[in-house]
């Protein structure tokens, strides 16, 4: 009887691990997003040529954001950054993916509803 209880307990633990594993994956932290888009700030304020490190940072974020929670986390960080840094031009923000020759599955800017990103 004890082995039957132990067997059931093991099954429950394994079931929790299988179901909980996808939920336990961490989303991309804002510090990582800030690090990636940091080289873009001067461009987003003044225009001109887009720095190569800026586009590389955008590409790395796109590669990292493979799940909906990741994309939403990146979006929230980008929105917070856009709102907190003074002097950022909205036209340059919205045109950044094109300037870096990348495609984003959602618009970027300070007024994006990140909950609608999938």
């Amino acid at each position: 009887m004890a082995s039957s209880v132990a067997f059931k307990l093991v099954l429950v633990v394994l079931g929790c691990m299988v179901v909980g594993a996808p939920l336990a994956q961490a989303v991309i932290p804002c510090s990582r997003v800030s690090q990636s888009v940091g080289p873009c700030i001067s461009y987003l304020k003044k225009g001109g040529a887009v720095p190569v490190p800026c586009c590389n940072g955008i590409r790395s974020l796109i590669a990292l954001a493979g799940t909906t929670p990741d994309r939403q986390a990146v979006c929230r960080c980008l929105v917070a950054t856009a709102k907190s840094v003074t002097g950022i031009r909205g036209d340059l923000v919205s045109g950044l993916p094109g300037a870096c020759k990348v495609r984003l599955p959602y618009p970027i800017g300070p007024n994006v509803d990140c909950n609608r990103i999938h």
Side-chain angles (χ1 to χ4, degrees):
M1 177 143 161
S3 66
S4 175
V5 171
F7 180 73
K8 289 177 183 176
L9 181 60
V10 169
L11 283 178
V12 168
V13 169
L14 286 174
C16 289
M17 288 172 58
V18 169
V19 171
L23 300 176
Q25 295 176 358
V27 296
I28 300 168
C30 273
S31 60
R32 176 67 172 101
V33 175
S34 297
Q35 184 180 37
S36 296
V37 299
C40 303
I41 299 300
S42 63
Y43 165 77
L44 295 174
K45 288 182 171 185
K46 300 174 188 172
V50 182
V52 172
C54 169
C55 291
N56 290 342
I58 299 297
R59 286 185 193 95
S60 73
L61 284 178
I62 292 170
L64 287 173
T67 66
T68 296
D70 286 337
R71 288 186 288 275
Q72 289 175 341
V74 168
C75 175
R76 286 185 188 99
C77 294
L78 291 173
V79 168
T81 300
K83 288 181 177 180
S84 69
V85 178
T86 57
I88 289 183
R89 292 176 37 193
D91 61 325
L92 295 176
V93 171
S94 62
L96 186 59
C100 288
K101 297 180 175 67
V102 297
R103 190 178 86 63
L104 289 178
Y106 52 86
I108 58 173
N111 299 316
V112 174
D113 180 0
C114 298
N115 292 323
R116 300 188 77 190
I117 293 174
H118 298 287

